Amino acid sequence: MASSKNGLSPVVVFLLGAASATALIVFVFTSTASPAWPTPEATPATRQEEKAAAVACAPRAKGADSETRRAARTNQTGGEGDDDDEFARMVRRAAMEDRTVIMTSVNEAWAAPGSLMDSFLESFRVGENISHFVEHIVVVAMDEGALRRCRAVHPHCYLLLPEVAGLDLSGAKSYMTKDYLDLVWSKLKLQQRVLELGYNLLFTASKSFDVDLAWFRNPMVHITAAADITTSSDFYFGDPDDLGNYPNTGFIYFKATPRNARAMAYWHAARRRFPGEHDQFVFNEIKRELAAGDGVGVRIRFIDTAAVSGFCQLGRDLNRIATVHMTCCIGLENKLHDLRNVIRDWRRYVARPRWERQMGKIGWTFEGGKCIH
């Protein structure tokens, strides 16, 4: 093969020339063209993070943080705003695998050490295989004092600001006073919010937001998927589909459906038709309207008081009891006294041998009861 004067073959010279030309073309292209993939500064997520960081670092006027939180909570209770707000995140953390959330509520008087909330939580510890349900409970605090106390004993606590400006929700409210009614009705919008977020809701508290009940067995076995709304009863007449049963909305389950969200809104709006009445009274009055085919069209089922029970119609067989509610009982002291006695009787029941319990002869003692009968 012939060689060039400098000793390189023509093939090598050709290859070197081609490589130099290619390098020159690549250099020119890369120096003038845009990047072939997004740089960190160009990604939408990064721009959003930078914007959030800029907002967080920006100087704020005194009191701006509290006003921002107040506005956010107003959106939450009104069913508007970003689903990733504080309440939505808490609901997501508390939800069961089937997207069911248990909700209850307290104010400072009912959350105080030794008061109703302590007895309520104790019942899960002494009940039959139900202690795990505690981690799925969202406790709605009606005031700052209740929030502080709740956070000391429970992981999921949310402060609900009152709808009525200046309303003090910290003390025990006299039954059927204006403050009592405002307190009762303030829960419905938050319950509706849970449904709008796509979670099933089991609300377990009294009309006035006191946790005046005890769980001893899993009550969810008495909830059927065939119904939109499943409610406990003050008075149960034997047929779970009979709208003649008297509901107790202190234990009520809603499936997460648009129909139930409409039912909740309909229920809240009906307050104007029944001034001076609490939510349970209004629900009883409109239950046929809610179930009507030309109305909202929900299916309502009632739970037998032998299982999900209360003082209005108390189940006597402790082998069937799932929950006990201090219904037909007025006053914090009376409720607390009887709730403690009910838990004491349950402890006595579970301490007996299994064969003795199955005989069905161990019941409530009714000793010194204020409301239980």
Side-chain angles (χ1 to χ4, degrees), residues 229 243 259 262-263 266-267 269-271 273-274 281-300:
I229 300 172
L243 291 175
R259 184 165 54 227
R262 292 195 300 272
Y266 188 95
W267 182 10
R271 179 186 184 183
R273 293 160 48 194
F274 303 93
F281 175 90
V282 174
F283 182 85
N284 188 57
E285 291 297 310
I286 67 170
K287 60 190 177 185
R288 289 179 170 82
E289 299 172 26
L290 292 172
D294 57 350
V296 180
V298 295
R299 183 181 179 189
I300 303 172

Side-chain angles (χ1 to χ4, degrees), residues 89-164:
R89 290 193 298 271
M90 183 174 298
V91 168
R92 189 183 308 119
R93 291 194 302 270
M96 304 177 197
E97 289 185 2
D98 68 349
R99 296 181 66 85
T100 296
V101 175
I102 304 170
M103 179 183 288
T104 192
S105 49
V106 293
N107 70 358
E108 186 171 9
W110 303 318
S115 193
L116 290 173
M117 186 170 71
D118 283 353
S119 294
F120 171 69
L121 294 175
E122 179 188 1
S123 72
F124 287 87
R125 294 191 293 270
V126 302
E128 292 184 354
N129 302 316
I130 58 171
S131 59
H132 63 283
F133 283 121
V134 172
E135 65 188 75
H136 302 297
I137 300 174
V138 172
V139 177
V140 179
M142 306 304 295
D143 55 78
E144 294 283 356
L147 182 66
R148 288 192 298 271
R149 169 61 179 159
C150 178
R151 286 175 171 171
V153 297
H154 189 67
H156 309 304
C157 306
Y158 178 77
L159 177 63
L160 176 64
L161 297 177
E163 293 182 352
V164 179

Side-chain angles (χ1 to χ4, degrees), residues 279-343:
D279 61 332
Q280 181 174 298
F281 175 90
V282 174
F283 182 85
N284 188 57
E285 291 297 310
I286 67 170
K287 60 190 177 185
R288 289 179 170 82
E289 299 172 26
L290 292 172
D294 57 350
V296 180
V298 295
R299 183 181 179 189
I300 303 172
R301 281 178 65 92
F302 297 82
I303 306 176
D304 192 339
T305 53
V308 176
S309 196
F311 287 175
C312 292
Q313 191 180 50
L314 182 62
R316 292 327 205 232
D317 186 356
L318 269 65
N319 290 319
R320 297 186 61 189
I321 287 292
T323 67
V324 179
H325 193 171
M326 312 297 107
T327 55
C328 294
C329 188
I330 299 174
L332 173 59
E333 291 184 3
N334 292 335
K335 290 183 176 187
L336 183 57
H337 179 276
D338 280 2
L339 181 58
R340 288 171 174 168
N341 284 353
V342 163
I343 294 175

